[in-house]
Amino acid sequence: MSTPAYDAGRLALMLNELRLPTIARLWPGFAERSDKEGWQATRLIGALLEHELAERAKRRIERHRAESHLDPTKTLATFDFSMVPMVSKAHVMALATGDSWLEKGATALLFGPPGAGKSHLGSAIGHALIDAGYRVLFTRTSELVQKLQAARQSLQLPSALAKLDRFDLIILDDLSYARKDQAETSVLFELIAERYERRSLLITANQPFSGWNDVFPDPGMTVAAIDRLVHHSTIFEMNVESYRRRTASDKQNNRRRQSSGDNQQQGATTMTG
Ligand code: ADP
Ligand code: MG
């Protein structure tokens, strides 16, 4: 003796009301299998709920990726660690899991000349952290400074800073370009002080600390900012020649080698440099 079936239209309405789109999509197939194979009711309910939860986690990560403004192509998978032998891959991988540094509100600092791969490596860490469930914002430092200054002018700075709190990590790209002649940058100091030991920052800069006098309005503030940033920090010094220049000259060398028939003498001369 079978019990009467539940009205499918009403089921659809309720699942919509409860915002369970995955169950709404999957239940007819699951119910059919369950009937055919004689599943226990708990198995059917469990299977549907597990799918809803998994899809929800996936959508959340997609939302986090979209709000992060990370370049989708700059990931760990596309980063060639052999180009920066002084950077420990194991150390980067540890940061990329989130580990304890985000909980501590610690800082990561990436220094190196233009083209060294700082922005790429910072983005790659950001993507991995999003995969691990964290929320990340990637921004050019100058852009964020401008936004915060506008907020200050309309007396909204505290709420603007509070809004940034939802991010476990803010990647401030190109700190050295947020110069004081561009604008008065004490908002940057306020961001650093506000997040200190609570929320993490990852900063990329062409110049290490000695060149930061231009970044903040006065030397006292520069010292105070650096003091907070280095207190709990990981520093990567990426002192390598520009990746673009190196890959361009590799291509050129390859072409030269090919056109010279790769004869041994010429091969030896092109190997240098
Ligand atoms: P920086 O921020 O230090 O000026 P970028 O991260 O913007 O340098 O790197 C410049 C270009 O070279 C980018 O297109 C980047 O993807 C690429 N690049 C730099 N380093 C690497 C690397 N180690 N592996 C792969 N691509 C790299
Ligand atoms: Mg950069």
Side-chain angles (χ1 to χ4, degrees), residues 10 20 26 47 56 95 99 128 157 209 232 238 246 263:
R10 176 145 172 76
L20 298 168
L26 294 180
R56 205 171 267 193
L95 284 183
D99 271 358
L157 185 61
F209 305 117
H232 311 282
M238 303 168 68
R246 280 192 291 169
N263 103 22

Side-chain angles (χ1 to χ4, degrees), residues 24-157:
R25 179 164 47 83
L26 294 180
W27 80 261
F30 273 72
E32 200 185 314
R33 262 189 74 192
S34 167
D35 288 345
K36 209 181 291 167
E37 299 170 16
W39 291 3
Q40 298 266 337
T42 48
R43 176 166 174 206
L44 175 63
I45 294 169
L48 287 171
L49 291 176
E50 299 241 357
H51 276 88
E52 186 69 54
L53 277 179
E55 287 276 310
R56 205 171 267 193
K58 213 176 102 201
R59 283 197 302 271
R60 186 173 350 103
I61 287 177
E62 277 164 13
R63 269 202 314 278
H64 290 175
R65 185 111 42 213
E67 76 180 0
S68 72
H69 295 124
L70 283 166
D71 180 333
T73 65
K74 308 298 180 195
T75 62
L76 286 171
T78 58
F79 190 77
D80 180 356
F81 281 91
S82 72
M83 290 287 181
V84 279
M86 69 289 278
V87 170
S88 150
K89 184 173 180 183
H91 203 154
V92 169
M93 293 323 233
L95 284 183
T97 63
D99 271 358
S100 55
W101 77 290
L102 294 185
E103 268 83 63
K104 272 199 306 210
T107 308
L109 299 159
L110 275 55
F111 297 137
K118 305 179 297 295
S119 299
H120 189 146
L121 186 58
S123 302
I125 292 170
H127 277 296
L129 290 173
I130 288 177
D131 292 335
Y134 292 101
R135 293 177 77 174
V136 176
L137 176 70
F138 180 97
T139 175
R140 290 186 70 85
T141 308
S142 53
E143 214 169 284
L144 186 65
V145 163
Q146 270 169 25
K147 276 190 197 145
L148 292 177
Q149 255 152 3
R152 158 170 285 168
Q153 271 152 22
S154 52
L155 307 175
Q156 304 287 317
L157 185 61

